């Protein structure tokens, strides 16, 4: 009897000891994580420093961890009075916010009926959305529908509306609804007389914040980094987003520099003072900055939403 009691007391201690890390292993893992963080942050720091470095100094001495000659010409050129960067930044921010909201609404409303077993046509609509992941109509039909049927040419809608729905996000949210929202909770709400809309808005959605945050983060990153939609559906500069503006501006600077080198002294514009490398680094800082700052706000929901909704059964 005494020996059995001792075995029962000894088992949890042994199990706890096996699951714990030794001091040396814990120290080694901490050092590895610190080195990994430094390896990730160093390129970002180099880009920031390069954007505040004089153009000729950067070309002569290369990249450094601290600017040899501090300069803000790249950002002055970016936000000059004749630059369209401000308009492009405004278009990108608006399209990202509106696209994220539209994605959360469309995906959340489409995935919720698919998660309810009592919905008669849930298999049909689940297959209907999944089929679009395997086959699509191609670029020609997409271009024709977007321009001629939906009339998305040269408008802010063209920057986010075609990206506001994804079949993959629907499958992830459907699995999240099934896993995170118990059927007993919905049944109790119906017994109390709650309608479907009240059940969705007051019970299901508060329990599904991690899944919605995951969809919102993926949608925001996708709309913010989008380049193809603007190139395909817009041809007026006032509707350009940030990514496409970077592309056109860099091409214009490269064209001016090539023209200056070909015509020599007869070229009236002082093209040599136009920033090229520092301008590129400054645009990278402006482009990456908001997305990096958005991750900490979604991080508390992101991991849980991604793991629970990862199985698309």
């Amino acid at each position: 009897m005494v020996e059995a009691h001792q075995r029962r007391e000894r088992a949890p201690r042994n199990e706890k000891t096996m699951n714990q890390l030794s001091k040396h292993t814990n120290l080694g893992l901490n050092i590895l994580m610190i080195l990994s963080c430094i390896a990730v942050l160093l390129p970002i720091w180099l880009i920031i420093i390069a954007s505040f470095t004089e153009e000729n100094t950067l070309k002569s001495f290369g990249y450094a961890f601290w600017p040899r000659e501090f300069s803000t010409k790249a950002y002055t050129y970016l936000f000059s009075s004749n630059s369209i960067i401000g308009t492009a930044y405004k278009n990108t921010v608006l399209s990202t916010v509106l696209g994220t909201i539209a994605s959360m609404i469309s995906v959340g409303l489409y995935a919720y009926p698919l998660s309810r077993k009592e919905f008669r046509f849930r298999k049909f609509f689940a297959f209907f959305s999944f089929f679009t992941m395997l086959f699509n109509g191609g670029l020609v039909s997409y271009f024709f529908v977007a321009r001629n049927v939906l009339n998305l040419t040269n408008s802010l809608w063209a920057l986010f509306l075609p990206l506001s729905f994804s079949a993959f996000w629907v499958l992830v949210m459907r699995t999240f609804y099934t896993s995170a929202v118990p059927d007993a909770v919905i049944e109790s709400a119906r017994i109390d007389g709650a309608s479907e809309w009240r059940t969705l808005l007051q019970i299901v959605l508060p329990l599904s914040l991690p899944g919605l945050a995951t969809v919102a983060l993926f949608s925001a990153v996708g709309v913010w980094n989008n380049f193809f939609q603007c190139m395909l559906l817009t041809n007026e500069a006032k509707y350009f987003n940030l990514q496409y503006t970077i592309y056109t501006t860099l091409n214009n600077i490269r064209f001016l520099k090539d023209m200056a080198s070909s015509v020599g002294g007869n070229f009236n514009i002082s093209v040599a003072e136009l920033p090229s490398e520092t301008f590129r680094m400054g645009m990278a800082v402006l482009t990456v900055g908001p997305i990096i700052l958005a991750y900490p706000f979604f991080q508390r929901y992101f991991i849980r939403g991604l793991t629970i909704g990862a199985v698309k059964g």
Side-chain angles (χ1 to χ4, degrees), residues 31-289:
I31 294 175
L32 180 62
M33 292 299 105
I34 292 174
L35 293 177
S36 300
C37 292
I38 293 175
V40 172
L41 294 176
L42 276 181
I44 301 176
W45 176 254
L46 284 176
I47 292 174
I48 296 174
I49 295 301
S51 66
F52 286 102
T53 306
E54 182 66 31
E55 179 78 16
N56 295 329
T57 304
L58 184 65
K59 291 181 178 179
S60 302
F61 298 98
Y63 294 89
F65 291 105
W66 194 256
R68 292 176 177 267
E69 187 175 353
F70 186 83
S71 175
T72 59
K73 286 184 178 180
Y75 294 97
T76 303
Y77 182 75
L78 280 172
F79 295 102
S80 60
S81 58
N82 58 347
S83 177
I84 62 171
I85 299 299
T87 303
Y89 216 91
K90 181 189 69 174
N91 293 338
T92 305
V93 171
L94 286 176
S95 60
T96 301
V97 173
L98 296 176
T100 302
I101 295 174
S103 297
M104 295 174 63
I105 294 175
S106 60
V107 173
L109 293 179
Y110 193 97
Y112 175 68
L114 301 183
S115 65
R116 309 305 337 138
K117 297 179 181 179
E118 60 272 15
F119 181 52
R120 182 181 303 177
F121 304 103
R122 66 189 185 96
K123 292 184 179 180
F124 170 77
F125 285 103
F127 175 78
F128 184 80
S129 62
F130 177 72
F131 186 81
T132 60
M133 298 177 60
L134 304 177
F135 305 98
N136 59 69
L139 181 60
V140 176
S141 60
Y142 175 80
F143 180 78
F144 177 80
V145 172
R147 292 181 70 98
N148 298 337
V149 178
L150 300 179
N151 196 21
L152 293 178
T153 308
N154 292 327
S155 65
L156 192 63
W157 296 90
L159 302 180
F160 69 91
L161 189 61
L163 305 175
S164 61
F165 188 84
S166 173
F168 176 76
W169 300 339
V170 169
L171 297 178
V172 171
M173 278 304 301
R174 183 195 65 173
T175 306
F176 189 89
Y177 283 142
T178 307
S179 304
V181 183
D183 293 337
V185 175
I186 298 179
E187 291 177 0
S188 62
R190 290 175 179 172
I191 293 173
D192 292 337
S195 62
E196 288 291 342
W197 282 106
R198 186 173 183 180
T199 302
L200 175 64
L201 296 177
Q202 295 186 0
I203 297 177
V204 176
L205 291 183
L207 295 175
S208 305
L209 286 180
L212 292 175
T214 305
V215 173
L217 183 59
F218 279 125
S219 176
V221 173
V223 176
W224 182 275
N225 294 327
N226 182 258
F227 170 85
F228 181 73
Q229 294 295 134
C230 187
M231 182 179 63
L232 186 66
L233 299 177
T234 60
N235 51 26
E236 296 182 9
K238 63 181 180 179
Y239 296 112
F240 287 175
N241 63 359
L242 194 59
Q243 307 298 331
Y244 191 67
T245 303
I246 295 173
Y247 170 76
T248 55
T249 307
L250 288 176
N251 281 343
N252 293 335
I253 292 176
R254 190 179 299 112
F255 173 76
L256 290 175
K257 287 182 175 292
D258 292 340
M259 287 293 296
S261 61
S262 62
V263 301
N266 296 326
F267 204 74
N268 295 326
I269 303 176
S270 58
V271 182
E273 297 181 359
L274 290 177
S276 177
E277 292 296 326
T278 56
F279 174 82
R280 188 177 302 161
M281 298 301 107
M283 289 303 303
V285 172
L286 293 179
T287 305
V288 176

